Amino acid sequence: MAGLPAAIELPGWAWETAELRQALRRRDMGAVFRCVQQYSGASQARIGTAIDMAQGRVNEIINGRREVSRLDVYERIADGLDMPDDARHLLGLAASRERRWGRRGL
C-alpha cells in the first residue's frame, strides 16, 4: 500500500526493559524515542517517517523542548513503532486496532 511507511520494529525483549517500561508509564516520549534509537538503530528522520512527524519535531521531543499531549499523537507513535499491546497499555492506550479488528479494520 503506497504512502504508508513501514513501522519500526524493536526486538521483543526491548519492550521489556525497565528503562523503556518506565518511560511509557511516564509518557516520556523523548526517552521512548531514545530507546527506539538505541534498540533499533533508527535515525530521528526514520522515526519521524514511521510516526508521520517531522524530524525536527522528533528532535524537539528527544531534547525536552516539546512534549506530546494529544491522544491521537500517542496512538500514531504506538502504531508507527509497532508497539505490542502490553506496551500500549503502559502508555494508557487500548490494544492495537489491527489486533482488535484485523489488518483491514473490519
Side-chain angles (χ1 to χ4, degrees):
M1 190 183 260
L4 292 177
I8 293 174
E9 293 186 30
L10 272 67
W13 58 263
W15 295 107
E16 298 299 323
T17 63
E19 178 184 17
L20 187 47
R21 294 178 70 80
Q22 289 170 347
L24 290 166
R25 282 188 194 100
R26 291 188 319 263
R27 286 190 162 187
D28 181 350
M29 293 298 100
V32 170
F33 290 166
R34 286 190 296 277
C35 288
V36 168
Q37 289 181 303
Q38 178 182 352
Y39 298 129
S40 75
S43 66
Q44 290 179 9
R46 176 68 182 93
I47 292 170
T49 298
I51 64 174
D52 193 26
M53 184 181 288
Q55 179 273 328
R57 181 70 44 93
V58 171
N59 180 275
E60 290 173 341
I61 292 169
I62 287 173
N63 290 300
R65 292 189 304 271
R66 185 177 292 269
E67 293 182 7
V68 175
S69 60
R70 291 182 23 203
L71 182 61
D72 65 311
V73 177
Y74 285 116
E75 286 279 355
R76 214 170 61 221
I77 291 169
D79 291 343
L81 298 181
D82 198 25
M83 219 176 261
D85 287 343
D86 61 328
R88 293 175 69 93
H89 294 153
L90 289 173
L91 194 54
L93 301 175
S96 168
R97 288 185 192 116
E98 288 183 1
R99 290 181 188 98
R100 285 184 299 203
W101 299 315
R103 278 243 178 250
R104 293 192 206 180
L106 300 175

